[in-house]
Amino acid sequence: MNKFGTKAIHAGTHPDSATGAIMTPIYQTSTFVQSSPGEHKGYEYSRTLNPTRHALEKNLAAIENGTHALAFSSGLAAMDALLKTFKPGDEIISSCDLYGGSYRLFTQVYASWGLKFHFVEMNDLLSLEELINDQTKMIWIETPTNPMMNIIDVKKIAEIGRKNNIRTAVDNTFASPYLQNPLDLGVDLVIHSITKFIAGHSDVVMGAIVLKNQTLAEQLAFIQNSCGAVPGPQDCFLTLRGIKTLHVRMERHCENAMKVAQYLISHPKVDNVYYPGLSTHPNNKIATEQMRNYGGMLSFTLKGDKIHDAKTVLSSTKIFSLAESLGGVESLCGHPATMTHAAIPKTERKKMGIVDSLIRLSVGIEDIEDLIKDLEQAIEKI
Ligand SMILES: *Cc1c(COP(=O)(O)O)cnc(C)c1O
């Protein structure tokens, strides 16, 4: 099997047989002509399958070491399709440190359709096992977590799932397939918000599920076609193009994030720095075992924990743009307490570590000297 960089560039794609075009064409078509009823070249209607999407799905399966991948019109649409494989009464145990949109989908959409959700601290394996009963059908985790950058031991979660005959799923958005392959660590399903590192240029909203189980893949393909949350061919083309540089981008994201973390940790106005690559990070050992590198995301707090100081920093950066989302080539900064995690009550937030001065960075691939200078002048404004 080819290595990551080769798969990122070549897997699932072939020069176009009609013209020799090296890039997968954007098959901007809804339907495909049949020579006689039922006689076609594998494509009938683009909701069911489109050649550009097909190439992307094969590529995604290859880079995540799966056998099947399904692309959806957003990360949440991918999760939505997965949740449709369950029945009322089924229970799902999720990590409590969770993407806000996933939490909303669980508790405000699927809870009223009869699915029951439990939220636990996943590094507390005893509490996790205590929640398991005959109705438990899936364990859902995110690692690294957002925004505290905790690392969950994927192998241990996979073992618990196998032992109890429960499906296990990892939202691998923060790590990307370049840094971590949960299927290799034993879980059943990987979910991505492709919107972030995979597409990588802040120009696409898309999601995917990658797996190795043919029966479940067929069930998910049935849901994908029946419910119809599919991405269009233009977005599939942009994602295929983005993936060609995923390994190169991720290397620079990691290198820059490590330097930013080291800079911040020695800054007199900075209190805590949360980056799994730092030896002071509580989960540094497991991060080193299960990830190839530590990623482009980090969070930090300011001494005195004043919301006003955080706002000063966030409105003073010139290269880091204040925005939701992450994983693009450009650096972004955000304020979890008032942006991504504003819906969580303050006492709950504080328990998770999301204090008022917590700032989250998605470190891009610009020149590191400029990024550090930008943070320096912004923190100077406090
Ligand atoms: C953004 C994100 C999602 C949702 O993906 P969309 O493409 O925005 O629907 C899910 N999980 C994580 C960790 C994310 O960052």
Side-chain angles (χ1 to χ4, degrees), residues 73-77 79 99 101-102 140 142 144 146 171-174 191-196 204-207 325-326 360:
S73 52
S74 71
L76 286 178
M79 289 180 64
Y99 175 71
S102 308
W140 173 271
E142 222 178 279
N146 178 19
D171 181 337
N172 203 26
T173 301
F174 266 41
I191 287 79
H192 278 288
S193 169
I194 283 179
T195 315
K196 317 293 170 51
V204 168
V205 173
M206 198 190 291
S325 201
L326 58 112
R360 189 189 79 175

Side-chain angles (χ1 to χ4, degrees), residues 16 39 86 89 91 112 119 127 132 157 190 240 243 290 294 302 318 336 361:
D16 177 42
E39 290 245 340
F86 297 104
E91 298 189 12
S112 53
F119 298 91
S127 308
I132 293 174
I157 299 294
V190 171
L240 272 169
I243 290 172
Q290 72 184 21
Y294 305 101
L302 299 166
K318 296 187 169 76
L361 301 179

Side-chain angles (χ1 to χ4, degrees), residues 265-308:
I265 213 170
S266 61
H267 197 291
K269 290 184 181 169
V270 170
D271 197 2
N272 294 306
V273 179
Y274 302 97
Y275 184 62
L278 296 174
S279 58
T280 49
H281 187 285
N283 312 127
N284 175 255
K285 187 169 166 282
I286 181 66
T288 305
E289 277 167 30
Q290 72 184 21
M291 299 173 74
R292 288 184 195 90
N293 204 330
Y294 305 101
M297 300 298 299
L298 65 89
S299 297
F300 67 101
T301 57
L302 299 166
K303 290 219 171 108
D305 192 37
K306 296 202 187 64
I307 198 161
H308 176 78

Side-chain angles (χ1 to χ4, degrees), residues 118-294:
H118 302 275
F119 298 91
V120 290
E121 164 57 65
M122 283 287 170
N123 283 323
D124 181 359
L125 298 176
L126 276 180
S127 308
L128 166 63
E129 294 203 80
E130 267 168 22
L131 281 172
I132 293 174
N133 63 51
D134 290 348
Q135 282 8 285
T136 311
K137 295 291 150 60
M138 181 164 76
I139 301 174
W140 173 271
I141 63 169
E142 222 178 279
T143 179
T145 65
N146 178 19
M148 299 313 297
M149 310 299 145
N150 293 315
I151 305 293
I152 295 167
D153 189 330
V154 178
K155 261 192 197 156
K156 282 208 180 123
I157 299 294
E159 266 165 37
I160 291 173
R162 254 197 316 274
K163 194 171 72 188
N164 294 282
N165 203 17
I166 299 168
R167 247 185 238 168
T168 46
V170 175
D171 181 337
N172 203 26
T173 301
F174 266 41
S176 91
Y178 179 64
L179 297 183
Q180 172 173 284
N181 299 116
L183 298 177
D184 292 348
L185 300 170
V187 303
D188 302 306
L189 294 141
V190 171
I191 287 79
H192 278 288
S193 169
I194 283 179
T195 315
K196 317 293 170 51
F197 287 104
I198 293 183
H201 295 74
S202 310
D203 52 9
V204 168
V205 173
M206 198 190 291
I209 305 176
V210 189
L211 68 168
K212 295 203 267 195
N213 176 323
Q214 167 126 13
T215 312
L216 185 53
E218 281 167 10
Q219 192 187 356
L220 288 164
F222 176 81
I223 292 169
Q224 184 192 38
N225 183 45
S226 304
C227 301
V230 293
Q234 174 88 33
D235 283 356
C236 292
F237 172 86
L238 283 171
T239 299
L240 272 169
R241 187 166 85 159
I243 290 172
K244 287 179 197 290
T245 57
L246 179 60
H247 51 304
V248 184
R249 287 186 281 113
M250 288 315 297
E251 282 294 335
R252 184 60 72 85
H253 280 294
C254 294
E255 194 183 314
N256 281 358
M258 181 61 107
K259 286 185 179 151
V260 168
Q262 282 163 345
Y263 165 75
L264 290 171
I265 213 170
S266 61
H267 197 291
K269 290 184 181 169
V270 170
D271 197 2
N272 294 306
V273 179
Y274 302 97
Y275 184 62
L278 296 174
S279 58
T280 49
H281 187 285
N283 312 127
N284 175 255
K285 187 169 166 282
I286 181 66
T288 305
E289 277 167 30
Q290 72 184 21
M291 299 173 74
R292 288 184 195 90
N293 204 330
Y294 305 101

Side-chain angles (χ1 to χ4, degrees), residues 2-11 59 247:
N2 284 328
K3 294 228 191 291
F4 192 94
T6 312
K7 287 194 288 189
I9 294 168
H10 295 287
N59 183 280
H247 51 304

